[in-house]
Amino acid sequence: MFFNSKKSEASWLDKNFLRCRLFFFSRIDAVRYETPYEPVGFGVERYSMYEIVQYRDYIKWVPESLVQANEKNFSLDAYFLIDQGSGLPVGAASALRVRDRSFWYDNIPMRPDEVRLVGLKILPNYRGRGLGRFLQRQFFYDVTRFEGVQWISAIVEDHRLPSIRSQAGVFHHTTHNWLIKMFGRNLVSIITGGMHKGIWYVGPNRGSRWRNDV
């Protein structure tokens, strides 16, 4: 089992000393998806980071760390699920891609030939309708057509059971990421398998890394 089926939220231990996440990944040539069909009453709009920051209703859907980061180091395409009745986004998923080997996201390094699924979420009132699964499929369908991409990946907290089940249904491989913390602050990131297997120091003065296989 990849997770504790009785765990529904992050514990005190998770938040302060030892945090476990799952890292999902697949080679792009192993992924095959047909064109996803938009759910009735909804549409999909795709925006770049440059476009997103100009719209207040949209920017809140993108992870804050990416909004504040140097855009020259990465590109981001966000897929917004729009309720055609209100014209507003009710869900979003983003494809993050880096331009150099020094880029890290959420304490796990990224490769230039990798695209990571980030910020997948649906408003609570719209959950349970398969909309998150649709956005996930839209991400996979588009990313398989990105030039130069060899890997796709995603990070999920081990207590987010619906997200784990969803990602496990489409990714071919899963490994663990352990974050060793000191009173809530990340110090060491350990990845137990896959193309990012290794141990890194990610605390203060993080330029000093113990091991980096990227």
Side-chain angles (χ1 to χ4, degrees), residues 118-153:
V118 301
L120 174 61
K121 55 186 174 182
I122 301 291
L123 289 180
N125 292 342
Y126 289 84
R127 294 172 186 167
R129 307 186 194 180
L131 300 179
R133 190 172 182 83
F134 163 72
L135 277 178
Q136 182 192 52
R137 296 305 190 274
Q138 185 69 53
F139 162 83
F140 272 87
Y141 178 76
D142 276 18
V143 167
T144 56
R145 287 152 179 77
F146 285 9
E147 184 177 358
V149 174
Q150 297 295 323
W151 296 91
I152 49 178
S153 62

PDB file of all heavy atoms in Angstrom, residues 118-153:
ATOM      1  N   VAL A 118       0.851  20.397 -11.503  1.00  0.00           N
ATOM      2  CA  VAL A 118       0.798  21.143 -10.243  1.00  0.00           C
ATOM      3  C   VAL A 118      -0.541  21.853 -10.124  1.00  0.00           C
ATOM      4  O   VAL A 118      -1.189  22.168 -11.126  1.00  0.00           O
ATOM      5  CB  VAL A 118       1.940  22.184 -10.144  1.00  0.00           C
ATOM      6  CG1 VAL A 118       3.301  21.504 -10.251  1.00  0.00           C
ATOM      7  CG2 VAL A 118       1.812  23.260 -11.210  1.00  0.00           C
ATOM      8  N   GLY A 119      -0.954  22.110  -8.891  1.00  0.00           N
ATOM      9  CA  GLY A 119      -2.129  22.939  -8.644  1.00  0.00           C
ATOM     10  C   GLY A 119      -3.442  22.370  -9.126  1.00  0.00           C
ATOM     11  O   GLY A 119      -4.357  23.134  -9.467  1.00  0.00           O
ATOM     12  N   LEU A 120      -3.595  21.050  -9.150  1.00  0.00           N
ATOM     13  CA  LEU A 120      -4.867  20.465  -9.571  1.00  0.00           C
ATOM     14  C   LEU A 120      -5.882  20.583  -8.440  1.00  0.00           C
ATOM     15  O   LEU A 120      -5.690  20.043  -7.355  1.00  0.00           O
ATOM     16  CB  LEU A 120      -4.670  18.992  -9.944  1.00  0.00           C
ATOM     17  CG  LEU A 120      -5.941  18.196 -10.275  1.00  0.00           C
ATOM     18  CD1 LEU A 120      -6.660  18.800 -11.469  1.00  0.00           C
ATOM     19  CD2 LEU A 120      -5.606  16.733 -10.534  1.00  0.00           C
ATOM     20  N   LYS A 121      -6.970  21.300  -8.682  1.00  0.00           N
ATOM     21  CA  LYS A 121      -8.004  21.445  -7.656  1.00  0.00           C
ATOM     22  C   LYS A 121      -9.342  21.822  -8.285  1.00  0.00           C
ATOM     23  O   LYS A 121      -9.394  22.412  -9.372  1.00  0.00           O
ATOM     24  CB  LYS A 121      -7.601  22.486  -6.611  1.00  0.00           C
ATOM     25  CG  LYS A 121      -7.238  23.848  -7.161  1.00  0.00           C
ATOM     26  CD  LYS A 121      -6.725  24.742  -6.029  1.00  0.00           C
ATOM     27  CE  LYS A 121      -6.219  26.076  -6.565  1.00  0.00           C
ATOM     28  NZ  LYS A 121      -5.681  26.934  -5.485  1.00  0.00           N
ATOM     29  N   ILE A 122     -10.398  21.458  -7.571  1.00  0.00           N
ATOM     30  CA  ILE A 122     -11.774  21.736  -7.971  1.00  0.00           C
ATOM     31  C   ILE A 122     -12.488  22.357  -6.767  1.00  0.00           C
ATOM     32  O   ILE A 122     -12.270  21.923  -5.626  1.00  0.00           O
ATOM     33  CB  ILE A 122     -12.511  20.452  -8.394  1.00  0.00           C
ATOM     34  CG1 ILE A 122     -11.792  19.765  -9.559  1.00  0.00           C
ATOM     35  CG2 ILE A 122     -13.954  20.753  -8.766  1.00  0.00           C
ATOM     36  CD1 ILE A 122     -11.847  20.506 -10.863  1.00  0.00           C
ATOM     37  N   LEU A 123     -13.316  23.364  -6.991  1.00  0.00           N
ATOM     38  CA  LEU A 123     -14.078  23.946  -5.883  1.00  0.00           C
ATOM     39  C   LEU A 123     -14.930  22.875  -5.212  1.00  0.00           C
ATOM     40  O   LEU A 123     -15.471  21.989  -5.883  1.00  0.00           O
ATOM     41  CB  LEU A 123     -14.970  25.074  -6.405  1.00  0.00           C
ATOM     42  CG  LEU A 123     -14.275  26.369  -6.846  1.00  0.00           C
ATOM     43  CD1 LEU A 123     -15.310  27.378  -7.344  1.00  0.00           C
ATOM     44  CD2 LEU A 123     -13.456  26.975  -5.724  1.00  0.00           C
ATOM     45  N   PRO A 124     -15.069  22.951  -3.876  1.00  0.00           N
ATOM     46  CA  PRO A 124     -15.797  21.899  -3.133  1.00  0.00           C
ATOM     47  C   PRO A 124     -17.189  21.601  -3.686  1.00  0.00           C
ATOM     48  O   PRO A 124     -17.579  20.433  -3.759  1.00  0.00           O
ATOM     49  CB  PRO A 124     -15.873  22.483  -1.708  1.00  0.00           C
ATOM     50  CG  PRO A 124     -14.661  23.355  -1.602  1.00  0.00           C
ATOM     51  CD  PRO A 124     -14.489  23.967  -2.973  1.00  0.00           C
ATOM     52  N   ASN A 125     -17.936  22.630  -4.082  1.00  0.00           N
ATOM     53  CA  ASN A 125     -19.305  22.414  -4.562  1.00  0.00           C
ATOM     54  C   ASN A 125     -19.364  21.678  -5.888  1.00  0.00           C
ATOM     55  O   ASN A 125     -20.443  21.233  -6.321  1.00  0.00           O
ATOM     56  CB  ASN A 125     -20.042  23.747  -4.689  1.00  0.00           C
ATOM     57  CG  ASN A 125     -20.306  24.403  -3.354  1.00  0.00           C
ATOM     58  OD1 ASN A 125     -20.256  23.738  -2.310  1.00  0.00           O
ATOM     59  ND2 ASN A 125     -20.597  25.694  -3.355  1.00  0.00           N
ATOM     60  N   TYR A 126     -18.225  21.549  -6.565  1.00  0.00           N
ATOM     61  CA  TYR A 126     -18.197  20.905  -7.882  1.00  0.00           C
ATOM     62  C   TYR A 126     -17.498  19.550  -7.846  1.00  0.00           C
ATOM     63  O   TYR A 126     -17.345  18.917  -8.901  1.00  0.00           O
ATOM     64  CB  TYR A 126     -17.483  21.815  -8.883  1.00  0.00           C
ATOM     65  CG  TYR A 126     -18.280  23.046  -9.247  1.00  0.00           C
ATOM     66  CD1 TYR A 126     -18.237  24.180  -8.438  1.00  0.00           C
ATOM     67  CD2 TYR A 126     -19.074  23.084 -10.387  1.00  0.00           C
ATOM     68  CE1 TYR A 126     -18.952  25.324  -8.759  1.00  0.00           C
ATOM     69  CE2 TYR A 126     -19.802  24.220 -10.720  1.00  0.00           C
ATOM     70  CZ  TYR A 126     -19.736  25.331  -9.897  1.00  0.00           C
ATOM     71  OH  TYR A 126     -20.460  26.457 -10.229  1.00  0.00           O
ATOM     72  N   ARG A 127     -17.092  19.113  -6.685  1.00  0.00           N
ATOM     73  CA  ARG A 127     -16.400  17.836  -6.586  1.00  0.00           C
ATOM     74  C   ARG A 127     -17.387  16.674  -6.669  1.00  0.00           C
ATOM     75  O   ARG A 127     -18.567  16.833  -6.434  1.00  0.00           O
ATOM     76  CB  ARG A 127     -15.597  17.773  -5.283  1.00  0.00           C
ATOM     77  CG  ARG A 127     -14.451  18.764  -5.245  1.00  0.00           C
ATOM     78  CD  ARG A 127     -13.784  18.838  -3.896  1.00  0.00           C
ATOM     79  NE  ARG A 127     -12.774  19.890  -3.861  1.00  0.00           N
ATOM     80  CZ  ARG A 127     -12.195  20.356  -2.763  1.00  0.00           C
ATOM     81  NH1 ARG A 127     -12.522  19.838  -1.584  1.00  0.00           N
ATOM     82  NH2 ARG A 127     -11.298  21.330  -2.826  1.00  0.00           N
ATOM     83  N   GLY A 128     -16.862  15.518  -7.007  1.00  0.00           N
ATOM     84  CA  GLY A 128     -17.707  14.338  -7.124  1.00  0.00           C
ATOM     85  C   GLY A 128     -18.384  14.190  -8.466  1.00  0.00           C
ATOM     86  O   GLY A 128     -19.227  13.301  -8.641  1.00  0.00           O
ATOM     87  N   ARG A 129     -18.025  15.017  -9.446  1.00  0.00           N
ATOM     88  CA  ARG A 129     -18.642  14.950 -10.774  1.00  0.00           C
ATOM     89  C   ARG A 129     -17.648  14.484 -11.849  1.00  0.00           C
ATOM     90  O   ARG A 129     -17.984  14.511 -13.032  1.00  0.00           O
ATOM     91  CB  ARG A 129     -19.189  16.319 -11.176  1.00  0.00           C
ATOM     92  CG  ARG A 129     -20.129  16.973 -10.180  1.00  0.00           C
ATOM     93  CD  ARG A 129     -20.691  18.248 -10.771  1.00  0.00           C
ATOM     94  NE  ARG A 129     -21.328  19.092  -9.775  1.00  0.00           N
ATOM     95  CZ  ARG A 129     -21.908  20.268 -10.053  1.00  0.00           C
ATOM     96  NH1 ARG A 129     -21.912  20.712 -11.305  1.00  0.00           N
ATOM     97  NH2 ARG A 129     -22.457  20.986  -9.098  1.00  0.00           N
ATOM     98  N   GLY A 130     -16.455  14.104 -11.440  1.00  0.00           N
ATOM     99  CA  GLY A 130     -15.457  13.681 -12.409  1.00  0.00           C
ATOM    100  C   GLY A 130     -14.729  14.823 -13.089  1.00  0.00           C
ATOM    101  O   GLY A 130     -14.012  14.611 -14.071  1.00  0.00           O
ATOM    102  N   LEU A 131     -14.866  16.052 -12.560  1.00  0.00           N
ATOM    103  CA  LEU A 131     -14.254  17.216 -13.203  1.00  0.00           C
ATOM    104  C   LEU A 131     -12.737  17.232 -12.990  1.00  0.00           C
ATOM    105  O   LEU A 131     -11.982  17.624 -13.890  1.00  0.00           O
ATOM    106  CB  LEU A 131     -14.884  18.503 -12.659  1.00  0.00           C
ATOM    107  CG  LEU A 131     -16.399  18.627 -12.879  1.00  0.00           C
ATOM    108  CD1 LEU A 131     -16.926  19.929 -12.274  1.00  0.00           C
ATOM    109  CD2 LEU A 131     -16.734  18.552 -14.367  1.00  0.00           C
ATOM    110  N   GLY A 132     -12.290  16.822 -11.798  1.00  0.00           N
ATOM    111  CA  GLY A 132     -10.850  16.756 -11.563  1.00  0.00           C
ATOM    112  C   GLY A 132     -10.199  15.721 -12.462  1.00  0.00           C
ATOM    113  O   GLY A 132      -9.105  15.943 -12.999  1.00  0.00           O
ATOM    114  N   ARG A 133     -10.864  14.613 -12.651  1.00  0.00           N
ATOM    115  CA  ARG A 133     -10.343  13.564 -13.526  1.00  0.00           C
ATOM    116  C   ARG A 133     -10.266  14.065 -14.971  1.00  0.00           C
ATOM    117  O   ARG A 133      -9.318  13.758 -15.699  1.00  0.00           O
ATOM    118  CB  ARG A 133     -11.240  12.335 -13.442  1.00  0.00           C
ATOM    119  CG  ARG A 133     -10.671  11.102 -14.128  1.00  0.00           C
ATOM    120  CD  ARG A 133     -11.534   9.891 -13.820  1.00  0.00           C
ATOM    121  NE  ARG A 133     -10.998   8.672 -14.412  1.00  0.00           N
ATOM    122  CZ  ARG A 133     -10.047   7.938 -13.885  1.00  0.00           C
ATOM    123  NH1 ARG A 133      -9.510   8.309 -12.736  1.00  0.00           N
ATOM    124  NH2 ARG A 133      -9.617   6.843 -14.475  1.00  0.00           N
ATOM    125  N   PHE A 134     -11.259  14.856 -15.382  1.00  0.00           N
ATOM    126  CA  PHE A 134     -11.231  15.424 -16.726  1.00  0.00           C
ATOM    127  C   PHE A 134     -10.026  16.351 -16.906  1.00  0.00           C
ATOM    128  O   PHE A 134      -9.316  16.277 -17.913  1.00  0.00           O
ATOM    129  CB  PHE A 134     -12.514  16.201 -17.006  1.00  0.00           C
ATOM    130  CG  PHE A 134     -12.405  17.127 -18.174  1.00  0.00           C
ATOM    131  CD1 PHE A 134     -12.349  16.640 -19.473  1.00  0.00           C
ATOM    132  CD2 PHE A 134     -12.301  18.498 -17.981  1.00  0.00           C
ATOM    133  CE1 PHE A 134     -12.215  17.498 -20.556  1.00  0.00           C
ATOM    134  CE2 PHE A 134     -12.161  19.360 -19.049  1.00  0.00           C
ATOM    135  CZ  PHE A 134     -12.128  18.859 -20.343  1.00  0.00           C
ATOM    136  N   LEU A 135      -9.773  17.234 -15.926  1.00  0.00           N
ATOM    137  CA  LEU A 135      -8.626  18.142 -16.023  1.00  0.00           C
ATOM    138  C   LEU A 135      -7.315  17.372 -16.046  1.00  0.00           C
ATOM    139  O   LEU A 135      -6.377  17.734 -16.764  1.00  0.00           O
ATOM    140  CB  LEU A 135      -8.633  19.129 -14.849  1.00  0.00           C
ATOM    141  CG  LEU A 135      -9.518  20.362 -14.991  1.00  0.00           C
ATOM    142  CD1 LEU A 135      -9.439  21.212 -13.724  1.00  0.00           C
ATOM    143  CD2 LEU A 135      -9.137  21.184 -16.201  1.00  0.00           C
ATOM    144  N   GLN A 136      -7.255  16.320 -15.276  1.00  0.00           N
ATOM    145  CA  GLN A 136      -6.064  15.470 -15.269  1.00  0.00           C
ATOM    146  C   GLN A 136      -5.831  14.881 -16.653  1.00  0.00           C
ATOM    147  O   GLN A 136      -4.713  14.880 -17.180  1.00  0.00           O
ATOM    148  CB  GLN A 136      -6.230  14.361 -14.235  1.00  0.00           C
ATOM    149  CG  GLN A 136      -5.028  13.439 -14.105  1.00  0.00           C
ATOM    150  CD  GLN A 136      -5.388  12.212 -13.297  1.00  0.00           C
ATOM    151  OE1 GLN A 136      -6.371  11.529 -13.595  1.00  0.00           O
ATOM    152  NE2 GLN A 136      -4.603  11.929 -12.272  1.00  0.00           N
ATOM    153  N   ARG A 137      -6.899  14.394 -17.280  1.00  0.00           N
ATOM    154  CA  ARG A 137      -6.786  13.817 -18.618  1.00  0.00           C
ATOM    155  C   ARG A 137      -6.420  14.879 -19.649  1.00  0.00           C
ATOM    156  O   ARG A 137      -5.676  14.611 -20.595  1.00  0.00           O
ATOM    157  CB  ARG A 137      -8.097  13.132 -19.013  1.00  0.00           C
ATOM    158  CG  ARG A 137      -8.477  11.943 -18.168  1.00  0.00           C
ATOM    159  CD  ARG A 137      -7.360  10.907 -18.137  1.00  0.00           C
ATOM    160  NE  ARG A 137      -7.761   9.654 -17.537  1.00  0.00           N
ATOM    161  CZ  ARG A 137      -7.727   9.378 -16.250  1.00  0.00           C
ATOM    162  NH1 ARG A 137      -7.322  10.295 -15.380  1.00  0.00           N
ATOM    163  NH2 ARG A 137      -8.066   8.186 -15.795  1.00  0.00           N
ATOM    164  N   GLN A 138      -6.942  16.091 -19.480  1.00  0.00           N
ATOM    165  CA  GLN A 138      -6.604  17.177 -20.400  1.00  0.00           C
ATOM    166  C   GLN A 138      -5.109  17.495 -20.318  1.00  0.00           C
ATOM    167  O   GLN A 138      -4.441  17.718 -21.336  1.00  0.00           O
ATOM    168  CB  GLN A 138      -7.417  18.432 -20.067  1.00  0.00           C
ATOM    169  CG  GLN A 138      -7.229  19.590 -21.041  1.00  0.00           C
ATOM    170  CD  GLN A 138      -7.830  19.297 -22.402  1.00  0.00           C
ATOM    171  OE1 GLN A 138      -9.005  18.943 -22.515  1.00  0.00           O
ATOM    172  NE2 GLN A 138      -7.039  19.442 -23.448  1.00  0.00           N
ATOM    173  N   PHE A 139      -4.567  17.503 -19.100  1.00  0.00           N
ATOM    174  CA  PHE A 139      -3.142  17.710 -18.897  1.00  0.00           C
ATOM    175  C   PHE A 139      -2.336  16.642 -19.627  1.00  0.00           C
ATOM    176  O   PHE A 139      -1.420  16.937 -20.393  1.00  0.00           O
ATOM    177  CB  PHE A 139      -2.829  17.686 -17.401  1.00  0.00           C
ATOM    178  CG  PHE A 139      -1.384  17.462 -17.059  1.00  0.00           C
ATOM    179  CD1 PHE A 139      -0.492  18.514 -17.063  1.00  0.00           C
ATOM    180  CD2 PHE A 139      -0.917  16.189 -16.741  1.00  0.00           C
ATOM    181  CE1 PHE A 139       0.848  18.309 -16.753  1.00  0.00           C
ATOM    182  CE2 PHE A 139       0.413  15.979 -16.424  1.00  0.00           C
ATOM    183  CZ  PHE A 139       1.300  17.039 -16.437  1.00  0.00           C
ATOM    184  N   PHE A 140      -2.677  15.375 -19.411  1.00  0.00           N
ATOM    185  CA  PHE A 140      -1.943  14.283 -20.041  1.00  0.00           C
ATOM    186  C   PHE A 140      -2.032  14.367 -21.565  1.00  0.00           C
ATOM    187  O   PHE A 140      -1.039  14.165 -22.269  1.00  0.00           O
ATOM    188  CB  PHE A 140      -2.483  12.937 -19.558  1.00  0.00           C
ATOM    189  CG  PHE A 140      -1.825  12.440 -18.312  1.00  0.00           C
ATOM    190  CD1 PHE A 140      -2.284  12.825 -17.070  1.00  0.00           C
ATOM    191  CD2 PHE A 140      -0.741  11.582 -18.375  1.00  0.00           C
ATOM    192  CE1 PHE A 140      -1.689  12.365 -15.917  1.00  0.00           C
ATOM    193  CE2 PHE A 140      -0.123  11.122 -17.226  1.00  0.00           C
ATOM    194  CZ  PHE A 140      -0.598  11.506 -15.985  1.00  0.00           C
ATOM    195  N   TYR A 141      -3.204  14.652 -22.067  1.00  0.00           N
ATOM    196  CA  TYR A 141      -3.391  14.702 -23.520  1.00  0.00           C
ATOM    197  C   TYR A 141      -2.514  15.774 -24.157  1.00  0.00           C
ATOM    198  O   TYR A 141      -1.872  15.553 -25.184  1.00  0.00           O
ATOM    199  CB  TYR A 141      -4.858  14.979 -23.844  1.00  0.00           C
ATOM    200  CG  TYR A 141      -5.143  15.097 -25.314  1.00  0.00           C
ATOM    201  CD1 TYR A 141      -5.209  13.969 -26.125  1.00  0.00           C
ATOM    202  CD2 TYR A 141      -5.340  16.355 -25.898  1.00  0.00           C
ATOM    203  CE1 TYR A 141      -5.470  14.077 -27.486  1.00  0.00           C
ATOM    204  CE2 TYR A 141      -5.592  16.461 -27.251  1.00  0.00           C
ATOM    205  CZ  TYR A 141      -5.659  15.332 -28.037  1.00  0.00           C
ATOM    206  OH  TYR A 141      -5.900  15.442 -29.376  1.00  0.00           O
ATOM    207  N   ASP A 142      -2.457  16.953 -23.542  1.00  0.00           N
ATOM    208  CA  ASP A 142      -1.658  18.052 -24.096  1.00  0.00           C
ATOM    209  C   ASP A 142      -0.159  17.814 -23.933  1.00  0.00           C
ATOM    210  O   ASP A 142       0.625  18.049 -24.850  1.00  0.00           O
ATOM    211  CB  ASP A 142      -2.037  19.377 -23.436  1.00  0.00           C
ATOM    212  CG  ASP A 142      -3.255  20.015 -24.091  1.00  0.00           C
ATOM    213  OD1 ASP A 142      -3.994  19.299 -24.794  1.00  0.00           O
ATOM    214  OD2 ASP A 142      -3.470  21.217 -23.890  1.00  0.00           O
ATOM    215  N   VAL A 143       0.240  17.347 -22.744  1.00  0.00           N
ATOM    216  CA  VAL A 143       1.661  17.202 -22.452  1.00  0.00           C
ATOM    217  C   VAL A 143       2.318  16.163 -23.354  1.00  0.00           C
ATOM    218  O   VAL A 143       3.492  16.297 -23.726  1.00  0.00           O
ATOM    219  CB  VAL A 143       1.868  16.848 -20.958  1.00  0.00           C
ATOM    220  CG1 VAL A 143       3.287  16.385 -20.693  1.00  0.00           C
ATOM    221  CG2 VAL A 143       1.547  18.056 -20.096  1.00  0.00           C
ATOM    222  N   THR A 144       1.596  15.130 -23.734  1.00  0.00           N
ATOM    223  CA  THR A 144       2.176  14.115 -24.614  1.00  0.00           C
ATOM    224  C   THR A 144       2.549  14.700 -25.975  1.00  0.00           C
ATOM    225  O   THR A 144       3.281  14.061 -26.739  1.00  0.00           O
ATOM    226  CB  THR A 144       1.202  12.938 -24.833  1.00  0.00           C
ATOM    227  OG1 THR A 144      -0.044  13.426 -25.334  1.00  0.00           O
ATOM    228  CG2 THR A 144       0.972  12.194 -23.524  1.00  0.00           C
ATOM    229  N   ARG A 145       2.087  15.905 -26.254  1.00  0.00           N
ATOM    230  CA  ARG A 145       2.381  16.553 -27.526  1.00  0.00           C
ATOM    231  C   ARG A 145       3.407  17.677 -27.402  1.00  0.00           C
ATOM    232  O   ARG A 145       3.713  18.349 -28.379  1.00  0.00           O
ATOM    233  CB  ARG A 145       1.084  17.084 -28.150  1.00  0.00           C
ATOM    234  CG  ARG A 145       0.229  15.947 -28.691  1.00  0.00           C
ATOM    235  CD  ARG A 145      -1.257  16.276 -28.678  1.00  0.00           C
ATOM    236  NE  ARG A 145      -2.011  15.156 -29.217  1.00  0.00           N
ATOM    237  CZ  ARG A 145      -2.284  14.031 -28.552  1.00  0.00           C
ATOM    238  NH1 ARG A 145      -1.865  13.887 -27.308  1.00  0.00           N
ATOM    239  NH2 ARG A 145      -2.959  13.042 -29.111  1.00  0.00           N
ATOM    240  N   PHE A 146       3.950  17.897 -26.201  1.00  0.00           N
ATOM    241  CA  PHE A 146       4.983  18.907 -26.006  1.00  0.00           C
ATOM    242  C   PHE A 146       6.298  18.406 -26.596  1.00  0.00           C
ATOM    243  O   PHE A 146       6.732  17.291 -26.315  1.00  0.00           O
ATOM    244  CB  PHE A 146       5.186  19.206 -24.524  1.00  0.00           C
ATOM    245  CG  PHE A 146       4.111  20.049 -23.897  1.00  0.00           C
ATOM    246  CD1 PHE A 146       2.950  20.361 -24.573  1.00  0.00           C
ATOM    247  CD2 PHE A 146       4.269  20.532 -22.601  1.00  0.00           C
ATOM    248  CE1 PHE A 146       1.956  21.118 -23.980  1.00  0.00           C
ATOM    249  CE2 PHE A 146       3.289  21.304 -22.000  1.00  0.00           C
ATOM    250  CZ  PHE A 146       2.131  21.593 -22.702  1.00  0.00           C
ATOM    251  N   GLU A 147       6.960  19.226 -27.360  1.00  0.00           N
ATOM    252  CA  GLU A 147       8.229  18.839 -27.963  1.00  0.00           C
ATOM    253  C   GLU A 147       9.331  18.732 -26.909  1.00  0.00           C
ATOM    254  O   GLU A 147       9.467  19.597 -26.041  1.00  0.00           O
ATOM    255  CB  GLU A 147       8.630  19.864 -29.026  1.00  0.00           C
ATOM    256  CG  GLU A 147       9.897  19.509 -29.782  1.00  0.00           C
ATOM    257  CD  GLU A 147      10.225  20.512 -30.876  1.00  0.00           C
ATOM    258  OE1 GLU A 147       9.435  21.463 -31.066  1.00  0.00           O
ATOM    259  OE2 GLU A 147      11.275  20.348 -31.515  1.00  0.00           O
ATOM    260  N   GLY A 148      10.127  17.672 -26.976  1.00  0.00           N
ATOM    261  CA  GLY A 148      11.264  17.515 -26.089  1.00  0.00           C
ATOM    262  C   GLY A 148      10.954  16.959 -24.721  1.00  0.00           C
ATOM    263  O   GLY A 148      11.852  16.816 -23.888  1.00  0.00           O
ATOM    264  N   VAL A 149       9.708  16.614 -24.435  1.00  0.00           N
ATOM    265  CA  VAL A 149       9.328  16.101 -23.119  1.00  0.00           C
ATOM    266  C   VAL A 149       9.483  14.583 -23.086  1.00  0.00           C
ATOM    267  O   VAL A 149       9.020  13.881 -23.982  1.00  0.00           O
ATOM    268  CB  VAL A 149       7.872  16.486 -22.774  1.00  0.00           C
ATOM    269  CG1 VAL A 149       7.437  15.828 -21.466  1.00  0.00           C
ATOM    270  CG2 VAL A 149       7.745  17.994 -22.657  1.00  0.00           C
ATOM    271  N   GLN A 150      10.152  14.080 -22.056  1.00  0.00           N
ATOM    272  CA  GLN A 150      10.350  12.648 -21.880  1.00  0.00           C
ATOM    273  C   GLN A 150       9.650  12.093 -20.639  1.00  0.00           C
ATOM    274  O   GLN A 150       9.338  10.909 -20.581  1.00  0.00           O
ATOM    275  CB  GLN A 150      11.851  12.341 -21.776  1.00  0.00           C
ATOM    276  CG  GLN A 150      12.639  12.695 -23.019  1.00  0.00           C
ATOM    277  CD  GLN A 150      12.233  11.861 -24.216  1.00  0.00           C
ATOM    278  OE1 GLN A 150      11.936  10.671 -24.085  1.00  0.00           O
ATOM    279  NE2 GLN A 150      12.210  12.469 -25.390  1.00  0.00           N
ATOM    280  N   TRP A 151       9.406  12.977 -19.642  1.00  0.00           N
ATOM    281  CA  TRP A 151       8.840  12.528 -18.368  1.00  0.00           C
ATOM    282  C   TRP A 151       7.691  13.430 -17.938  1.00  0.00           C
ATOM    283  O   TRP A 151       7.716  14.637 -18.195  1.00  0.00           O
ATOM    284  CB  TRP A 151       9.897  12.534 -17.263  1.00  0.00           C
ATOM    285  CG  TRP A 151      11.021  11.578 -17.475  1.00  0.00           C
ATOM    286  CD1 TRP A 151      12.215  11.834 -18.107  1.00  0.00           C
ATOM    287  CD2 TRP A 151      11.060  10.212 -17.092  1.00  0.00           C
ATOM    288  NE1 TRP A 151      12.994  10.711 -18.121  1.00  0.00           N
ATOM    289  CE2 TRP A 151      12.315   9.689 -17.497  1.00  0.00           C
ATOM    290  CE3 TRP A 151      10.168   9.362 -16.425  1.00  0.00           C
ATOM    291  CZ2 TRP A 151      12.689   8.372 -17.276  1.00  0.00           C
ATOM    292  CZ3 TRP A 151      10.550   8.044 -16.194  1.00  0.00           C
ATOM    293  CH2 TRP A 151      11.790   7.571 -16.614  1.00  0.00           C
ATOM    294  N   ILE A 152       6.710  12.836 -17.278  1.00  0.00           N
ATOM    295  CA  ILE A 152       5.646  13.597 -16.615  1.00  0.00           C
ATOM    296  C   ILE A 152       5.613  13.151 -15.163  1.00  0.00           C
ATOM    297  O   ILE A 152       5.914  12.001 -14.840  1.00  0.00           O
ATOM    298  CB  ILE A 152       4.272  13.381 -17.281  1.00  0.00           C
ATOM    299  CG1 ILE A 152       4.003  11.885 -17.477  1.00  0.00           C
ATOM    300  CG2 ILE A 152       4.190  14.123 -18.593  1.00  0.00           C
ATOM    301  CD1 ILE A 152       2.657  11.602 -18.076  1.00  0.00           C
ATOM    302  N   SER A 153       5.251  14.078 -14.260  1.00  0.00           N
ATOM    303  CA  SER A 153       5.321  13.761 -12.834  1.00  0.00           C
ATOM    304  C   SER A 153       4.292  14.551 -12.048  1.00  0.00           C
ATOM    305  O   SER A 153       3.687  15.513 -12.550  1.00  0.00           O
ATOM    306  CB  SER A 153       6.725  14.060 -12.295  1.00  0.00           C
ATOM    307  OG  SER A 153       7.022  15.443 -12.422  1.00  0.00           O
TER     308      SER A 153
END
